[in-house]
Amino acid sequence: MKFKYIAYAVVLFTALILSACSKKLDQFPQTEVSDENFWKTSNDLKLAANYLYSFLPDIMVDKLDDAMSIDAYATSPNSVSDGSWLKPSTSDIWTNNYNLIRACNNILEKAVNVAGEAEEINKYLGEAAFFRAFAYFELVKRYGDAPLVRKTLLLDDPELFAAKTDRAAIIDSIYLDLDNAALKLPSAGEQPQGEYGRITSTAALAFKSRVALFEGARQKFFNYGSYQSHLQIAIEASSAVMAAGDNALFRYNANPDSSFFYNFQYVGEGKSNPENILVRIYGENEVNSISANGYSRDGLLSPTRTIMDAYLYKDGLPIEKSPFYKAQTNTYTEFENRDPRMAMSVFNKYSFYVYGNYVPTFQYAPTGYRSCKYFISHDWAANESYIDNIIIRYAEVLLNNIEAKFELNGSVSDNELNETINLLRARVNMPALTNSFVSSNSLDMRAEIRRERRVELAFEGMRYWDIIRWKTAEDELPHAVVGAKYFPDEQGQLDNPQLTPDGFVIVQNASGRRFNAQKDYLWPVPTKELGLNVNLTQNPGW
């Protein structure tokens, strides 16, 4: 591995942070400075910390992670999803995360020279610790073992050619950094209005619950390590967020029953929304702009048959058990009497689109479906959007908590369900999940907890990583990608469509999809990195 030596020049001043009220980007001159002239005041430290925010996941990449699962499809087959991927020569994911780690290490080291209020200095140190943990989790969830570097490296440092560090040690370092961040940063409730968008202790704890659940589940289902300790950490971190009382599910008072939908619209942005714990902010409009994104026009995913069939009916029963199920006679039939999150996540012919109701089509949506989370009709017409990318929201914290409790104890109480999943269900007027309901309907509690996560977080970039940590990717990904039922009078004619026996469009045949459980649960290390560092080793099977 080669860590690039980056001068502080442009790096420190290409900052991305904003004011919550105006959503204006703090502009700083891109001027070269030396260490002798920098690292003097807490404002210098803030400028350095601002740069870290440019590494927050971009919505155009982050949400498209779902195309690596079988719940969504982009405009063409995904090589990770169908198993056709090859070892890359280089990887922006590898390079960018190590660049972020270097920037964090630099801040944490140089801060000893900074004069100012200890509380303010500690805040930026907490931000650096959070981002270092964030970067390492992005690496470890993909590559497993990876070089662990917790100091700034120069060109002649032998650590430039370090071997991989065991993932257990990396996870421990992530916990250490997140604990440090949680101690130094203000909570969501303490954060000033004008600092919305900066990292809080709440974000550190919420992210810790994500990391710990991932590692705990992975250890349990891959049968290694001590999964119980990680699941306990996930429970404690998520419980701390829940107990603090600073966060809650978003309620849109003008239309409460559609609060779930509006959480992903402009009215759901800003500090007034207690659900969004960490977001990447793009700005407000052309005047108050940080950077626009094209998600409303170019980033929307095509949902597949598997996610559509996962939505419950309004009686809380799945498609194979509910008396509300009926055979489709048009494109809207499957939306009738379903969990309202279905129609709030996927367009149907009664959804408003750009200039009128949505027309179901295969022309721009290969599966015949189109996701509507984050879609803004005005932004489609303008071909640019300023909708924030929600990276962590309170709903995930609730889901992390209940899943960790179930996987640790093998059961959950009705009270625990009421504190988590049933809050999500109540928001959309779905019946509560209870142990007696599961038992009397011959359901499986683990499956229902996972289902709730699947539909609540659909098209938010989470599904692929869930099936990786559950070790179910080998069962799910090799199946054919199937889309909507074919109704040419509504959707338009297709040339020689390939259909299932019951009339659903096959987007990609199972024969073109595979998953090698011996290698595909870890990503390949970029070959150029192996050439630069002879002590690096490739992941098994690659």
Side-chain angles (χ1 to χ4, degrees), residues 53-91:
Y53 287 82
S54 66
F55 287 90
L56 284 174
D58 183 271
I59 192 171
M60 294 294 289
V61 177
D62 188 35
K63 302 316 175 200
L64 295 181
D65 271 5
D66 268 6
M68 298 190 297
S69 75
I70 202 171
D71 279 7
Y73 193 84
T75 55
S76 61
N78 183 281
S79 63
V80 176
S81 178
D82 68 20
S84 64
W85 51 330
L86 303 172
K87 292 180 291 188
S89 172
T90 60
S91 167

Side-chain angles (χ1 to χ4, degrees), residues 55 91-101 135:
F55 287 90
S91 167
D92 288 343
I93 293 170
W94 181 280
T95 301
N96 290 344
N97 279 297
Y98 275 112
N99 284 343
L100 174 55
I101 289 164

Side-chain angles (χ1 to χ4, degrees), residues 111-129:
V112 296
N113 302 318
V114 171
E117 292 290 333
E119 183 177 355
E120 188 172 8
I121 291 172
N122 280 335
K123 180 171 67 175
Y124 302 126
L125 292 178
E127 291 181 6

